[in-house]
Amino acid sequence: MIRFDILSVVPELLESPLNHSIVKRAKESKLVEIYIHDIREYGKGNYRQIDDYCFGGDAGMVMMIEPVYKLITKLKSERKYDEIIYMSPDGELLDQKIANQLSCLKNIIILCGHYKGVDHRIREHLITREISIGNYVLSGGEIPASVVCDAVIRLIPGALSDETSALSDSFQDDLLAPPAYTRPAEFNGWKVPDVLLSGNPKLIKEWQEKESLDRTRKLRPELLKD
Ligand code: SAH
């Protein structure tokens, strides 16, 4: 069982991606628990202030330390966390290897930034790992956090109906997945490769391995380098 605590100023953004499909089933099967925390509940004063102007006069607001500090301190007093992650465009680039690592942990906090991001002292003193989902800038860390959760949760044994299917996904062994087909075997004259209809598991496996390798060589040769 993995427990995620996700900290956000726009928790609504996390609702749909984390309440459907495989993630929903994993929650129902008690493989994962996801707690979404509204940072604003820890905001300052009657207005529950959570952001303030940027020192130095740059345009844009910065998420304040205190609300995030209070919330993280409260969570840390309740259990031990393996990782306190900040989603950030300048973090380590998420890949299948990182997803595999995270899937072996128990308790994970994910902090989502908004506006210009969080006061840098949060990153210096409270965060243990920073992850980016790609070299582009989004408006908030909620979609990136959902991406991390989804990538990790589908790796938990039992989360996918066919246990082996996460292992045959792209990147799992530095190879892209082979093409997949379903019925009908012929549509518009477009045919499924004969071997897949042969009923011969050995031939099928050989074909899939060859396709994986060919596709990786052609589409993502850098994966084969190491
Ligand atoms: N000023 C920051 C960007 C802020 S974007 C900079 O230039 O680096 C607002 C928030 O969205 C960030 O704090 C982060 O939590 C999230 N975010 C944006 N793009 C992201 C990405 N590619 N990966 C992960 N998080 C991202």
Side-chain angles (χ1 to χ4, degrees), residues 6-222:
I6 310 179
L7 287 40
S8 161
V9 294
V10 197
E12 298 81 5
L13 280 173
L14 292 156
E15 268 158 29
S16 175
L18 300 178
N19 281 313
H20 296 281
S21 177
I22 289 167
V23 176
K24 179 183 177 196
R25 284 206 303 275
K27 291 205 287 193
E28 287 166 356
S29 316
K30 304 270 178 280
L31 299 172
V32 65
E33 278 180 337
I34 303 177
Y35 295 88
I36 295 172
H37 305 270
D38 187 350
I39 296 172
R40 198 170 289 279
E41 286 176 16
Y42 298 78
K44 206 169 116 187
N46 289 342
Y47 292 105
R48 299 270 170 228
Q49 186 186 1
I50 44 93
D51 58 343
D52 210 335
Y53 294 101
C54 183
F55 277 131
D58 282 353
M61 304 297 276
V62 177
M63 281 170 61
M64 298 159 64
I65 297 187
E66 290 104 313
V68 172
Y69 177 80
K70 275 190 205 152
L71 178 46
I72 291 184
T73 307
K74 175 178 167 279
L75 290 170
K76 276 167 60 174
S77 74
E78 291 163 354
R79 70 195 60 76
K80 188 182 164 314
Y81 283 92
D82 304 302
E83 223 48 290
I84 302 179
I85 298 169
Y86 176 52
M87 300 312 307
S88 182
D90 55 14
E92 308 168 73
L93 268 185
L94 180 67
D95 60 11
Q96 197 64 27
K97 199 171 128 223
I98 296 179
N100 283 329
Q101 285 169 2
L102 297 178
S103 75
C104 301
L105 304 182
K106 290 258 164 293
N107 297 311
I108 302 173
I109 289 177
I110 305 183
L111 172 62
C112 307
H114 233 86
Y115 321 112
K116 276 177 82 75
V118 296
D119 185 309
H120 201 73
R121 288 166 289 180
I122 294 176
R123 300 172 62 173
E124 288 168 338
H125 298 287
L126 298 172
I127 295 299
T128 62
R129 191 163 191 175
E130 301 187 329
I131 297 178
S132 165
I133 63 159
N135 292 332
Y136 40 80
V137 176
L138 300 163
S139 318
E142 288 76 12
I143 294 172
S146 309
V147 169
V148 168
C149 286
D150 187 306
V152 170
I153 290 167
R154 68 201 307 289
L155 293 170
I156 306 173
L160 300 184
S161 38
D162 175 358
E163 255 222 47
T164 57
S165 95
L167 297 176
S168 61
D169 278 340
S170 290
F171 306 112
Q172 202 55 26
D173 44 11
D174 286 335
L175 288 175
L176 302 181
Y181 302 87
T182 185
R183 284 181 290 188
E186 183 171 345
F187 175 81
N188 252 357
W190 307 334
K191 285 189 181 160
V192 167
D194 285 337
V195 59
L196 295 178
L197 310 175
S198 70
N200 182 330
K202 184 162 168 282
L203 283 182
I204 292 174
K205 191 148 192 297
E206 279 168 12
W207 178 86
Q208 287 172 330
E209 284 169 0
K210 185 174 174 301
E211 284 292 318
S212 273
L213 199 57
D214 288 352
R215 288 174 62 74
T216 313
R217 266 199 204 110
K218 187 168 151 227
L219 302 171
R220 303 296 301 275
E222 76 280 7

